[in-house]
Amino acid sequence: MPRIFFLPFVTVLALVLSACNYSKPQWQLSDVKGHLPDLQFNLTDDNGKPVDASHYAGKINLMYFGYTHCPDVCPLTLTHLHVVLQRLGAQADRVHVLFVSVDPARDTPALLHQYVNAFDPRVTGLTGTPAQIAAIAKRYRAAFNRDSVKPDGSYDVSHSSGIYVFDAKGRARLLATSTDGVDEIVHDLRLLLEMSQ
């Protein structure tokens, strides 16, 4: 007859609780796992080269939709993300920011390169044809709309301001909003970095 061993109740409880903590990280941002598709696109980077998601594989990628002529939200968001990268220290080498232009008519690769590098060299500007931009925006449910042209020929582009966070395997994991602070973003990026080791 086989022997049956019983673990003390406290030991079993500790094992169960540790398993629960491991499977359910305490995210500060919105958990979108299973609700948004993996990172996938075919665009042109700010060096004028065709790129897709595989060019950024192995890193935590933060994707943001904006444009270089944006008067307020985009500069504030990129400054915010620069501070996040600074706070991560050496861990920031495993994080990359993708700035997808919603104004491909004006945002040439050269202009994007100058713009994003003014904030942080770990940001890559991405652009493409109007159809390509519309496709990636639709894929991630990002909204944008060109406003009326002003008398001087300029115009603004209204756009959503979510920051999409993908893990090192390109899976959509988190969504940050304008109300999320640096501490919350850094906290969750560190958790993702630990999980991807």
Side-chain angles (χ1 to χ4, degrees):
M1 183 173 180
R3 289 183 172 183
I4 299 175
F5 295 94
F6 294 98
L7 293 172
F9 175 75
V10 174
T11 304
V12 173
L13 183 61
L15 289 171
V16 169
L17 289 176
S18 66
C20 289
N21 288 337
Y22 179 77
S23 62
K24 292 188 178 181
Q26 299 299 308
W27 302 118
Q28 304 293 310
L29 307 176
S30 298
D31 184 352
V32 295
K33 182 180 178 183
H35 299 286
L36 287 173
D38 294 347
L39 186 62
Q40 183 180 322
F41 59 83
N42 288 286
L43 295 169
T44 301
D45 73 9
D46 56 25
N47 289 309
K49 297 179 180 178
V51 292
D52 58 39
S54 69
H55 288 80
Y56 310 99
K59 292 195 173 190
I60 305 297
N61 283 288
L62 284 68
M63 185 170 66
Y64 179 77
F65 292 85
Y67 68 113
T68 63
H69 289 75
C70 184
D72 43 32
V73 178
C74 297
L76 288 173
T77 300
L78 288 175
T79 300
H80 199 62
L81 293 178
H82 169 69
V83 175
V84 166
L85 293 171
Q86 282 188 315
R87 288 273 301 277
L88 286 172
Q91 289 181 308
D93 292 340
R94 297 168 53 207
V95 177
H96 199 78
V97 178
L98 302 171
F99 180 82
V100 181
S101 172
V102 293
D103 186 17
R106 291 185 295 186
D107 286 346
T108 63
L111 182 57
L112 273 170
H113 185 78
Q114 181 182 14
Y115 183 78
V116 298
N117 276 274
F119 293 96
D120 198 287
R122 292 162 290 199
V123 181
T124 296
L126 298 173
T127 189
T129 66
Q132 287 174 316
I133 299 301
I136 188 172
K138 181 178 180 181
R139 181 175 176 81
Y140 298 105
R141 305 173 197 165
F144 69 94
N145 183 56
R146 193 173 95 165
D147 298 340
S148 300
V149 178
K150 299 172 185 174
D152 63 0
S154 66
Y155 58 86
D156 292 327
V157 181
S158 302
H159 60 92
S160 51
S161 58
I163 301 167
Y164 302 79
V165 182
F166 300 85
D167 66 20
K169 293 184 178 179
R171 297 171 299 202
R173 299 301 300 268
L174 303 165
L175 180 65
T177 68
S178 57
T179 60
D180 294 309
V182 169
D183 289 341
E184 288 83 4
I185 298 174
V186 169
H187 173 274
D188 283 11
L189 290 180
R190 285 189 169 140
L191 278 182
L192 269 182
L193 287 164
E194 288 171 11
M195 291 166 63
S196 63
Q197 286 181 341

